[in-house]
């Protein structure tokens, strides 16, 4: 198999790394709606996100961007292995989704921050993701 | 590539994994959870192997030919296990909202302080895999994403979802949080004096003796798995989430992509072998199967075509028995190779409890 060696050293990736470093440090910034995993908002009250789960034991996308409020996640199993989506710190767990099926979960998140979500069945296979809750653009203007 | 009876085995296995690992009590009409391996370690005897599985520990005393349940952790989902020179450390993953079999009272180190409940730690230690004791200092109920042995005989690391990275310097008996982190840390690896950890944002490196959260990742893309290479104490390879393999020869500080390989979910460089293996479990990926590299990950050859194989183990030579490599497929089916992973044959089957 052919290969194409590429430098991945820090010096060549400083700009990208800075952005990621800020994220990891919990220094949240605003999240654009074009970001993969960003919620669509069909009404002011509910933000809707669709996540695929697969037999590679991954969430696609593995990052969700929302604002405080009500969130509905549609979990779509595109493989044959069953999964779930658990946000431990919010005590929000989806039903188990089986191959070819879809389930939904809804939860309320009020506090901006970074929340890890996991598949309870495949956590140690690396099936994790991040829910980024950033302040609403009009934060502070609502009662 | 040669695989005797592989197609037959696959045909038998696939129906059982159609709803694999999915909590049998959640929906009555769905098939029960199909078992699979979460970790493989050596037992206390030369031909002994211990598996961490979805339904507790399994043990073989004959190099994987036959298996029996080790009831030391009941039928709990054992999410990870590591072997230290004189101890084992394991983590449990309770199923949120599901009724799972619990440990028996006889196996609890202290009443009310067992592992695997919302009010108890999910990490324990044992010197024989049969009787386990709870680690102290772990937030009760916290989900454990990864365990990794440290560089000396008593150090072990753990990542806890929502809490960060913890270290034990006494073989899992007590734990201290070393790096607070809200982001999930999905993998840990100690390479020399460095602690490497993977997040969805990339791979970070810190001094294991004085760990802290670096401001920048050393590898700025998701990593599916990483492993050290035998015979090179500072060499580590990583399977990239977008496909390909990256390598570092300085303990993870600098990286170079060395192959545009398939997207491996797991990497394994079993000790006592000369090869590096990459695994692609998903049937939806045309590259599914086990791949082998003999040049540290630069070039790859597919050696076993099968779905849902995600763990390997190197069985060292024992009395009258050559060294073998074992591969574990969901179901659980065990394949073996006696020629350093070039050809494979079905070896045994572990029925789901």
């Amino acid at each position: 198999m052919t290969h194409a060696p590429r430098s991945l050293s820090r010096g060549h990736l400083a700009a990208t790394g800075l952005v990621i470093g800020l994220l990891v440090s919990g220094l949240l910034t605003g999240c654009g709606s074009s970001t993969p995993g960003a919620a669509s908002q069909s009404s002011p009250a509910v933000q809707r996100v669709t996540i695929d789960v697969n037999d590679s034991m991954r969430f696609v996308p593995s990052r969700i961007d929302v604002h405080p409020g009500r969130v509905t996640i549609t979990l779509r199993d595109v493989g044959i292995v069953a999964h779930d989506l658990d946000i431990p710190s919010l005590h929000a767990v989806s039903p188990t989704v089986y191959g070819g099926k879809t389930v939904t979960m809804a939860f309320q998140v009020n506090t901006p921050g970074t929340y890890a979500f996991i598949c309870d069945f495949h956590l140690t296979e690396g099936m994790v993701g991040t829910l980024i809750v950033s302040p609403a653009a009009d934060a502070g203007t609502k009662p | 590539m040669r695989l005797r009876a592989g197609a037959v085995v696959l045909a038998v296995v696939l129906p059982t994994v159609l709803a694999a690992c999915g909590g049998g009590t959640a929906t009555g009409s769905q098939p029960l959870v199909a078992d699979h391996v979460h970790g493989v370690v050596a037992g206390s005897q030369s031909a002994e192997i211990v598996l961490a599985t979805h339904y507790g520990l399994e043990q073989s005393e004959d190099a994987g030919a036959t298996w029996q349940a080790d009831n030391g952790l009941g039928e709990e989902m054992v999410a990870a296990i590591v072997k230290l020179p004189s101890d084992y450390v394991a983590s449990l993953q309770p199923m949120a909202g599901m009724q799972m079999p619990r440990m028996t009272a006889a196996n609890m180190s202290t009443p009310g302080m067992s592992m695997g409940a919302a009010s108890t730690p999910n990490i324990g230690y044992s010197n024989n895999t049969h009787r386990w004791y709870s680690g102290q200092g772990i937030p009760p109920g916290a989900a454990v994403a990864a365990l990794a042995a440290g560089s000396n005989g008593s150090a072990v690391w753990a990542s806890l979802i929502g809490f960060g990275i913890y270290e034990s310097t006494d073989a899992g008996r007590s734990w201290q949080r070393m790096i607070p982190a809200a982001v999930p840390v999905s993998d840990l690896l100690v390479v020399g004096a460095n602690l490497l950890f993977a997040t969805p944002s990339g791979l970070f490196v810190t001094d294991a003796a004085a760990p802290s959260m670096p401001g920048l990742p050393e590898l700025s893309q998701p990593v599916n798995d990483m492993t050290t290479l035998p015979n090179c104490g500072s060499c580590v390879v990583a399977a990239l989430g977008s496909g390909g393999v990256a390598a570092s020869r300085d303990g993870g500080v600098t990286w170079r992509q060395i192959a545009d390989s398939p997207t491996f979910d797991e990497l394994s460089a079993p000790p006592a072998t000369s090869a590096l293996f990459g695994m692609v479990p998903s049937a939806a990926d045309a590259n599914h199967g086990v791949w082998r590299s003999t040049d540290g990950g630069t070039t790859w050859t597919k050696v076993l075509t099968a779905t849902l194989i995600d763990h390997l183990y190197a069985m060292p030579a024992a009395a009258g028995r050559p060294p073998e490599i074992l591969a574990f497929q969901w179901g659980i089916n065990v394949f073996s190779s006696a020629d350093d992973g070039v050809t494979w044959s079905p070896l045994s089957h572990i029925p789901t409890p």
Side-chain angles (χ1 to χ4, degrees):
Chain A
M1 179 168 289
T2 59
H3 64 95
R6 292 202 294 260
S7 172
L8 299 173
S9 65
R10 181 165 56 184
H12 291 81
L13 297 166
T16 303
L18 177 59
V19 173
I20 295 168
L22 290 173
L23 168 63
V24 171
S25 301
L27 303 177
L28 300 175
T29 59
C31 301
S33 60
S34 62
T35 304
S40 66
Q41 200 159 354
S42 56
S43 74
V46 180
Q47 301 164 88
R48 301 183 187 282
V49 177
T50 297
I51 298 177
D52 287 347
V53 289
N54 59 40
D55 292 350
S56 296
M57 316 304 154
R58 296 289 179 267
F59 294 106
V60 181
S62 61
R63 169 177 164 162
I64 310 169
D65 291 286
V66 299
H67 299 300
R70 193 74 176 163
V71 178
T72 296
I73 294 177
T74 298
L75 200 60
R76 190 169 59 187
D77 193 334
V78 298
I80 61 173
V81 173
H83 302 281
D84 73 359
L85 192 156
D86 183 359
I87 312 174
S89 56
L90 297 179
H91 305 289
V93 187
S94 78
T96 299
V97 59
Y98 294 88
K101 306 293 186 183
T102 295
V103 299
T104 60
M105 64 183 294
F107 57 91
Q108 180 79 22
V109 57
N110 297 322
T111 307
T114 299
Y115 301 85
F117 61 84
I118 65 176
C119 172
D120 285 306
F121 310 120
H122 307 114
L123 175 55
T124 51
E125 280 95 348
M127 197 163 178
V128 300
T130 310
L131 171 70
I132 307 293
V133 183
S134 58
D138 57 352
T141 63
K142 292 181 178 179
Chain B
M1 184 195 73
R2 178 169 58 91
L3 170 59
R4 291 198 300 264
V8 175
V9 171
L10 189 59
V12 172
V13 169
L14 268 180
T16 70
V17 299
L18 289 178
C21 213
T25 59
T27 307
S29 62
Q30 297 289 351
L32 290 173
V33 173
D35 205 358
H36 67 280
V37 170
H38 294 144
V40 193
V41 294
S44 55
Q45 305 300 318
S46 63
E48 194 173 300
I49 307 168
V50 177
L51 302 181
T53 81
H54 198 96
Y55 292 109
L57 300 172
E58 293 281 343
Q59 185 178 34
S60 174
E61 297 176 346
D62 53 9
T66 62
W67 299 87
Q68 53 279 330
D70 176 335
N71 292 316
L73 289 172
E75 292 186 354
E76 296 284 359
M77 174 175 164
V78 186
I81 188 167
V82 296
K83 187 179 190 306
L84 303 175
S86 57
D87 290 282
Y88 297 86
V89 178
S91 67
L92 300 184
Q93 174 61 23
M95 296 290 93
M98 294 182 184
Q99 197 65 41
M100 297 292 284
R102 300 243 68 83
M103 291 175 63
T104 63
N107 288 322
M108 295 179 182
S109 55
T110 304
M113 285 300 292
S114 72
M115 299 162 61
S119 60
T120 60
N122 283 327
I123 298 180
Y125 60 93
S126 171
N127 61 12
N128 57 14
T129 76
H130 308 312
R131 187 173 178 85
W132 290 82
Y133 303 90
S134 299
Q136 304 298 311
I138 296 293
V144 182
L147 287 177
S151 55
N152 63 47
S154 58
V156 58
W157 297 81
S159 70
L160 276 62
I161 294 295
F163 294 91
I165 298 175
Y166 284 66
E167 183 189 22
S168 169
T169 57
D170 55 8
R173 285 151 179 79
S174 62
W175 295 81
Q176 300 81 37
R177 184 160 71 166
M178 308 306 289
I179 304 177
V183 294
V185 174
S186 58
D187 204 1
L188 296 166
L189 182 68
V190 175
V191 184
N194 292 339
L195 172 67
L196 283 60
F197 58 96
T199 79
S201 303
L203 183 61
F204 292 80
V205 180
T206 186
D207 183 351
S212 62
M213 175 60 85
L216 296 171
E218 302 296 347
L219 188 52
S220 303
Q221 55 183 294
V223 166
N224 287 348
D225 196 19
M226 52 187 169
T227 186
T228 53
L229 293 178
N231 307 318
C232 177
S234 61
C235 295
V236 55
V237 290
L240 304 176
S242 55
V245 172
S248 169
R249 300 188 64 84
D250 56 7
V253 177
T254 59
W255 291 85
R256 192 170 69 98
Q257 184 165 347
I258 59 170
D260 288 328
S261 64
T263 304
F264 297 127
D265 284 355
E266 306 284 340
L267 290 175
S268 180
T273 71
S274 60
L276 170 67
F277 295 89
M279 286 156 275
V280 182
S282 174
D285 189 328
N287 292 312
H288 61 261
V290 179
W291 294 68
R292 180 175 185 267
S293 172
T294 56
D295 55 10
T298 301
T299 58
W300 293 86
T301 302
K302 194 175 188 182
V303 291
L304 174 55
T305 299
T307 59
L308 295 174
I309 290 179
D310 56 6
H311 282 85
L312 295 183
Y313 176 73
M315 188 75 234
R321 179 182 291 120
E324 288 187 314
I325 304 175
L326 305 184
F328 298 90
Q329 180 187 44
W330 290 45
I332 296 172
N333 292 295
V334 186
F335 296 83
S336 69
S337 172
D339 55 8
D340 204 29
V342 177
T343 60
W344 294 83
S345 302
L347 175 65
S348 57
H349 171 71
I350 307 171
T352 296

